[in-house]
Amino acid sequence: VSRVVSGSLDGTVKMWEIDEESSPKKVLPGVERHKEAITCVAVSPDNRIVASSSFDHTVLLRDTTTGEVVSSLGYKTVEANQDKYVFGYHTSPVYCVVFSPDCSLVATGDEAGNAVIWDSNNGRSLFAHKHSRAVLTLAFSEDSRFFASGSLDGESRLWFISKNENGIPIFKHVSKLSSTSGAVFCVAFSPPSMNLIVTATKELMV
C-alpha cells in the first residue's frame, strides 16, 4: 500500500493510503494545523514522521500513526547565550523541508535565506548557514554524507557531514556553485552521491 501526503492553503496536512483496488482512504488523524498556508511536505524514509513547512514560520513533525505533533521547528524567543543555535530558528516563511535518507536529520529553508539542519529525534537545531536571499531547495545525498542548498541568490552550497567521537554531526563546507543566470530552483544528487546537479533559471550546472 502506498501513501500520499498533501498540504493545503488552510494549513492542514492530509495523508491517504492508496491501492489499485479501492478508493483513497484518509489515514492521518489529528486536528492541529498550521496558522497559515503550507508550502512543502515531506515523509521520513522510514515512514514514521510527516514534516510540513508553512508561511507561519514553522515546521511541524507529526507521527504518521497518531497524527500528533512530536516537534515544532521554528521561531522561539530565548535569552542571549541560552541557546548557541538561536540563529537557526526561522523568523520568516519556511519554503522547503527534506529528511536525510538515514532519517536522523531534517533540513529546512526559509525566505530570509536561512538553511537549517535539525535533529529529527529531538527537534534541536544542529547547524545553520545563510544565503543572501530565500532558500528554494534542499537535498541530502543518498548516503546522508552530503547536504546541498539552493537559493534565489543564484548560489548552491555543498556541505560534508561527519560525526565526532560523541556521534554529534559536524558540517564542513565543501563548495559553492554560482549560477550566472539567476535563482537556483532545485538541487539533486546523482546515485553515487558524488556529483551535484543544479538547475537554475536558464542553465544546467553539473
Side-chain angles (χ1 to χ4, degrees), residues 128-199:
H129 70 273
K130 188 173 179 64
H131 285 269
S132 61
R133 299 184 69 183
V135 174
L136 304 178
T137 178
L138 303 165
F140 286 97
S141 63
E142 190 176 74
D143 57 10
S144 300
R145 296 174 62 234
F146 290 91
F147 168 73
S149 60
S151 170
L152 197 60
D153 63 11
E155 289 186 354
S156 179
R157 300 180 186 179
L158 179 65
W159 302 80
F160 175 70
I161 306 172
S162 60
K163 292 184 179 180
N164 63 17
E165 62 275 11
N166 296 318
I168 299 174
I170 300 173
F171 303 87
K172 178 182 179 181
H173 185 244
V174 175
S175 180
K176 179 173 70 175
L177 302 176
S178 297
S179 165
T180 60
S181 63
V184 179
F185 290 118
C186 53
V187 292
F189 288 90
S190 61
S193 303
M194 295 303 295
N195 298 318
L196 173 65
I197 301 174
V198 181
T199 303

Side-chain angles (χ1 to χ4, degrees), residues 94-137:
V94 185
Y95 288 158
C96 45
V97 58
V98 63
F99 285 93
S100 61
D102 66 4
C103 302
S104 66
L105 305 172
V106 58
T108 55
D110 69 19
E111 186 179 74
N114 298 307
V116 188
I117 297 181
W118 315 75
D119 186 318
S120 64
N121 294 311
N122 57 30
R124 181 175 175 79
S125 57
L126 300 173
F127 170 79
H129 70 273
K130 188 173 179 64
H131 285 269
S132 61
R133 299 184 69 183
V135 174
L136 304 178
T137 178

